[in-house]
Amino acid sequence: MTGFFHTESELVCDGVPVSAIADAEGTPVYVYSAADIRARYRALDAAFGDHPHRLHYALKANSRFAIVQLLRELGSGVDANSIGEIEVARRAGFTPADIVFTGVGKSAAELECAVPLGLKAINAESAGELARIEALAARTGRRARVALRINPDIDARSHPHISTGLTINKFGVPADTARELLASMAGRPLLQLVAIHVHVGSQITSIEPLRGAAAFLAGVAAELTRAGAVLEYLDLGGGLGIAYDGGRAVSPREYVAALVAEAGATGLPLVIEPGRAIVGPAGALVARAIDVKPRSASSDFVVVDAGMTELLRPALYGAFHRIEPVRRGGGPLRAYEIVGPVCESSDVVGRDRSLPALAPGDLVAVLDAGAYGSAMASNYNRRPLPAEVLVDQGRWRVIRRRQTVDDMLAGEL
Ligand code: LLP
C-alpha cells in the first residue's frame, strides 16, 4: 500500500510513521509520498493506452523542486504559469519542448523571456496577447509557437472561485473571437499555431464538463483542419478532481476514456495539464495541538500549529479536508472545531469534526493537502513557511527546510 494509511496504532506514509517525521522535523510539516505521486502519474499516463498523448503536470499545484524532479523522471512535461515556474522547471531539467506557458496575465517581461526560449507553446489568452507575442517574435526573428485558449462557455460546476470555463470568467477568448483569430493565423507568419486549448476549471467531480470541453475543442479542431490548418496537438487543460471526503472521484480511466472518446477521432495527440489529481492525495499537512478549550456545551476548540498560512483552502473556498489523529487513541469521539493560530476567524482548518479526545501535544494530519497547500502558503503573521518532507522507498528526507526569521527578512531593506 502506498500513500497515507493507518496501521493498528498510527498513521504512516509509505510505511514510515508520520509521528517519527513530526518528532524529528517539528510541526507544521508537509509530508509527501513519492510512491503515490508516481502511481497517480502512471495511472493517468497508462489510461491513454496507445493514443498519442503527453501529460504536462500543472506546476501551480506544487512546484517544490524535488517533486518537479520526480515528475521529470517519470517523463512528464509541465504547464508553467509564470516565468518563475518556467525557471524552476528548467533548473529541474525540463527542456523548452517540455513546457507549455499558460496564464491569463503574462507580463511584458515574462513574454520577453519566454518567446526566445522556443517553448512547446505559449497558450495565448487574448487577441492582444497574440499581438504582443507576434511583435516579440518579429524583434527576435524567431517564429513563436502558440496555442489559443478558447473559452467554451461550459460550467465546470466546481467552486465558483475555480470554475474558469464560462464567458463571464476572465479566461481565454469566446468561440466567435477564436474563429476570427484562428482565421487570421494564415497571414501571420511569425505565429505558428500548434494547438488549441481549453481549461474549464479545477476540482471537477463530474465527467460532463470535462467531456463537453473535449468535444467542443475537437469540433473547433475539425473546422480548422477543414480550413487547411495543421495542428500538432490538442491541449485539454487540467481539472480532474479528487475525493476530499474519501469517497469516489472520477477515475483516471473514466476521465481519459471520455477525452479520447470525444477528441480521439481528430487523430491529434492529446495533452492534459493535471495538477491536483497527481499530487493532491499524495501530501498531508501534519500539525500539533497547542491548546484545547471549550467552545459550546457539546464541542471544544482545538488550536493547532497550522492554519490558513500553511493551508489556505478551507479559509478561501470553504474547502473540506479530512483531519485524522496521527496516533490511534481509543475512547469516545468528541466534537471539535480544529482551528489555526492566525488572527482571523476564517482560520478554521476543519469545522465540526468528530475525533477521539485530543490533548495539547497530540498530532493530527490534514489529508489531501499535496496540491495547492504549500504552493499557496504565506508568511502572514510572520509565520515561517513549514518544513516539507518526501518519503521515498521507506526513507524520508527534508525537501525544504523550515523557513527562519532570517529567511523571511532576506530581501527586506
Ligand atoms: N491548467 C490550467 C490552465 C490551470 O489554470 C490549472 C489550474 C490547471 C491546469 C491545473 O488544474 P488541476 O488539474 O490542478 O485542477 N487553488 C485552487 C485551484 C486553482 C487551480 C488553478 N488552475 C484550489 O486550491 O483548489
Side-chain angles (χ1 to χ4, degrees), residues 95-141:
T95 68
D98 297 321
I99 302 172
V100 295
F101 186 13
T102 62
V104 76
K106 305 175 197 77
S107 71
E110 287 183 307
L111 286 177
E112 236 165 85
C113 290
V115 169
L117 286 176
L119 303 174
K120 173 162 169 162
I122 301 176
N123 290 4
E125 296 256 354
S126 70
E129 187 170 82
L130 275 175
R132 288 190 284 279
I133 297 169
E134 194 173 26
L136 282 165
R139 219 169 76 192
T140 54

Side-chain angles (χ1 to χ4, degrees), residues 215-281:
F216 167 86
L217 205 66
V220 179
E223 288 173 31
L224 281 170
T225 307
R226 280 196 295 276
V230 183
L231 295 178
E232 286 182 15
Y233 63 93
L234 295 181
D235 183 342
L236 298 170
L240 179 61
I242 61 173
Y244 282 102
D245 63 359
R248 223 188 77 85
V250 174
S251 73
R253 262 167 187 271
E254 198 185 337
Y255 167 58
V256 171
L259 302 186
V260 174
E262 299 301 335
T266 58
L268 294 169
L270 302 180
V271 160
I272 55 170
E273 301 169 350
R276 186 187 325 259
I278 293 179
V279 292

